[in-house]
Amino acid sequence: MFIHWGLYSLPARHEWVQQHERLAHVNYRATYFDKFDADLYDPVSWVNHAKAAGMKYIVLTTKHHDGFCLWDTEFTDFNATNAPAGRDLVKSFVDACRDADIKVGFYFSLIDWRHPDFLIDSLHPLRGDKGAFLQNPTRDMGRYRQFVKGQIGELLTNYGKIDLIFFDYSYPGVQGKGRVEWDSEGILKLTRGLQPHIIINDRLDLHDYPDGWDYVTPEQFMPVSWPRRNGQFVPWETCQTFSGSWGYHRDEETWKTTNQLIAMLIETVSKGGNLLLNVGPTARGNFDERATNRLDAVGRWVRYHGKAIYGCTAAPEDFLKPGNTFLTYNPENNRLYVHLLQWPFKTLYLPGFKGRVEYIQFLHDASEVRFTSRTSSGPNDHMAITAAHDDLIVSLPVVKPNVEIPVLEIFLREDSESSMP
Ligand code: GLC
């Protein structure tokens, strides 16, 4: 679970609201800071929602681009402790995760629209405002670099073991910007030094740097296949929203359906990745009903289909994927999972599977699914699927089982293990 929570949850018009509406920090602060009371904030309930939805780790925005910090930082008074919330919100979050055995991730914004030394670039809320430079003629990115490292130091020192850090932002198409502006190499060394086990995303833009990143982060985007770098498959995680915005957005109506979200999870695992699904809590600190309804529905599906997700990855390449399905595979027990996105009419053909399958059942209720195999009678055989014609014909009930996306669990024959990507 990704969680985007901050001052922008009050305007509830996207976490980039300050930028979209070109608000100077003083005005943004004057309007919202003294309203952030977080009276319904209960990290234990966040963690419970995440767990019930089947999630194993949570990544919280400790600070987003507006510079508002959820923790009690020494480096700015623009933090939750000085707002009506009046406490360190990161601390209780970390405690709740640990108590529930959920791994802890911190999102940290490398850009900071509050900081007087931060450059006014083309993405800054004050872009194009000529007077803005005059407000601080002695702007100094050197000081900014120290500030960023100071804050990262706090986060990685004061809260025990942190499992993952999600740095952001990475300017599209601008190579090496972060290296210069906020000293990505220095941040990397600091991070690995303070938390040697931590997992670091790829948004420090240190793509060709040794140990510069641990995984790649396609955002709001599903790769066509398992992402590679220099020809090698790499660990990856796609981060996705329920609707278009990361922060709580009251009037955003383009929410994904439960079916889309579950299919997204399956597709991600079928390509060897992880899904980081975002919730934007309200400024009061609770998850709204649109979010909890979806989390509950994902959880209902995962409860019966977790075996096709956890520990699973892409299927060996020599298993052909039937239409309207995704395949996942557990290398530990050599089981293959066929996720049926569209319910077929009575028969599912598994091309080239003949001789490789021992047993098939529905995953949700462990009920047997019977199958026969066949070999084609010749080139005009309308039932032949593959060139080898060694197909399995699986008999399905006419009526779709009452689960969002049914899954067939295929026990492969011991001798049919095949090459993994
Ligand atoms: C982007 C956006 C941001 C969001 C993030 C999530 O870089 O700037 O608002 O936090 O991606 O991946």
Side-chain angles (χ1 to χ4, degrees):
M1 177 180 281
F2 215 169
I3 299 185
H4 275 67
W5 192 42
L7 216 53
Y8 47 76
S9 314
L10 282 160
R13 296 189 292 276
H14 200 279
E15 76 284 355
W16 277 56
V17 60
Q18 186 193 356
Q19 198 265 8
H20 292 166
E21 300 180 11
R22 295 177 180 251
L23 300 170
H25 168 69
V26 275
N27 300 333
Y28 181 69
R29 178 175 177 141
T31 312
Y32 301 115
F33 190 64
D34 65 354
K35 321 269 181 334
F36 190 76
D37 71 359
D39 66 328
L40 296 181
Y41 174 52
D42 173 11
V44 173
S45 107
W46 287 8
V47 166
N48 289 342
H49 277 300
K51 275 203 114 159
M55 292 156 172
K56 303 285 190 190
Y57 59 105
I58 307 183
V59 182
L60 170 67
T61 50
T62 55
K63 172 175 92 165
H64 207 261
H65 308 333
D66 61 1
F68 178 70
C69 302
L70 294 183
W71 81 100
D72 186 12
T73 173
E74 269 179 30
F75 294 89
T76 171
D77 68 350
F78 192 46
N79 71 60
T81 319
N82 299 313
R87 61 203 189 279
D88 184 325
L89 303 169
V90 170
K91 167 97 184 56
S92 45
F93 162 76
V94 171
D95 292 344
C97 290
R98 294 235 174 82
D99 288 350
D101 205 19
I102 285 263
K103 300 252 191 274
V104 179
F106 285 165
Y107 167 107
F108 179 84
S109 175
L110 297 163
I111 64 185
D112 190 320
W113 297 326
R114 176 207 61 90
H115 201 283
D117 284 311
F118 187 73
L119 73 161
I120 300 180
D121 61 8
S122 60
L123 290 180
H124 197 281
L126 300 182
R127 63 199 175 283
D129 174 349
K130 293 202 181 77
F133 286 98
L134 299 175
Q135 288 170 27
N136 183 7
T138 59
R139 237 165 246 285
D140 174 359
M141 281 304 277
R143 274 200 302 253
Y144 183 73
R145 285 188 278 277
Q146 280 181 2
F147 158 76
V148 164
K149 285 183 200 140
Q151 287 209 314
I152 295 170
E154 282 181 336
L155 287 169
L156 299 183
T157 309
N158 298 342
Y159 300 93
K161 185 181 173 213
I162 304 306
D163 300 290
L164 178 148
I165 190 148
F166 194 113
F167 291 117
D168 189 45
Y169 186 76
S170 160
Y171 285 74
V174 187
Q175 285 298 314
K177 186 170 167 90
R179 277 186 154 158
V180 181
E181 308 294 8
W182 40 83
D183 180 22
S184 294
E185 279 105 326
I187 292 175
L188 180 75
K189 281 191 194 115
L190 173 73
T191 304
R192 295 232 188 264
L194 290 172
Q195 298 268 348
H197 306 288
I198 206 163
I199 296 172
I200 307 182
N201 73 345
D202 63 340
R203 296 195 187 174
L204 286 172
D205 281 342
L206 297 174
H207 297 288
D208 46 359
Y209 193 87
D211 289 329
W213 53 277
D214 296 316
Y215 67 104
V216 301
T217 54
E219 174 179 327
Q220 305 267 41
F221 166 74
M222 183 61 71
V224 126
S225 57
W226 191 328
R228 299 172 200 233
R229 292 287 179 276
N230 304 320
Q232 301 291 317
F233 291 110
V234 290
W236 68 281
E237 173 198 74
T238 180
C239 47
Q240 302 277 355
T241 52
F242 284 138
S243 64
S245 167
W246 298 89
Y248 178 65
H249 195 315
R250 185 190 58 209
D251 301 335
E252 164 66 73
E253 299 293 349
T254 57
W255 283 63
K256 297 173 185 77
T257 64
T258 301
N259 189 279
Q260 277 177 302
L261 294 166
I262 295 170
M264 182 188 268
L265 170 65
I266 299 166
E267 181 167 6
T268 305
V269 177
S270 81
K271 295 172 179 176
N274 276 340
L275 175 63
L276 186 65
L277 187 59
N278 179 74
V279 178
T282 73
R284 299 187 66 185
N286 63 305
F287 291 180
D288 85 338
E289 232 180 78
R290 295 171 294 185
T292 53
N293 289 342
R294 281 165 180 79
L295 290 171
D296 290 349
V298 171
R300 254 193 314 280
W301 185 85
V302 170
R303 188 170 322 131
Y304 295 103
H305 300 93
K307 286 185 188 175
I309 299 292
Y310 303 115
C312 288
T313 184
E317 280 165 341
D318 50 347
F319 282 106
L320 293 179
K321 186 170 82 73
N324 293 320
T325 70
F326 289 123
L327 302 181
T328 60
Y329 175 71
N330 188 335
E332 285 292 308
N333 57 12
N334 198 26
R335 292 208 192 144
L336 183 75
Y337 298 95
V338 183
H339 301 252
L340 300 162
L341 303 174
Q342 175 67 44
W343 190 243
F345 176 60
K346 290 209 292 201
T347 310
L348 176 75
Y349 297 95
L350 295 177
F353 279 51
K354 186 178 167 189
R356 309 177 77 179
V357 172
E358 191 185 299
Y359 187 78
I360 305 183
Q361 62 184 16
F362 277 119
L363 182 54
H364 67 280
D365 66 355
S367 62
E368 182 176 7
V369 175
R370 306 181 76 186
F371 61 93
T372 54
S373 57
R374 70 182 304 279
T375 299
S376 156
S377 58
N380 297 327
D381 182 346
H382 68 283
M383 283 174 67
I385 315 165
T386 56
H389 310 308
D390 284 335
D391 309 319
L392 281 199
I393 301 171
V394 179
S395 306
L396 297 171
V398 172
V399 177
K400 180 189 166 205
N402 193 19
V403 292
E404 194 66 54
I405 296 181
V407 178
L408 297 176
E409 180 171 44
I410 301 188
F411 295 61
L412 295 172
R413 285 170 54 155
E414 290 280 304
D415 49 5
S416 79
E417 278 179 48
S418 24
S419 54
M420 286 295 297

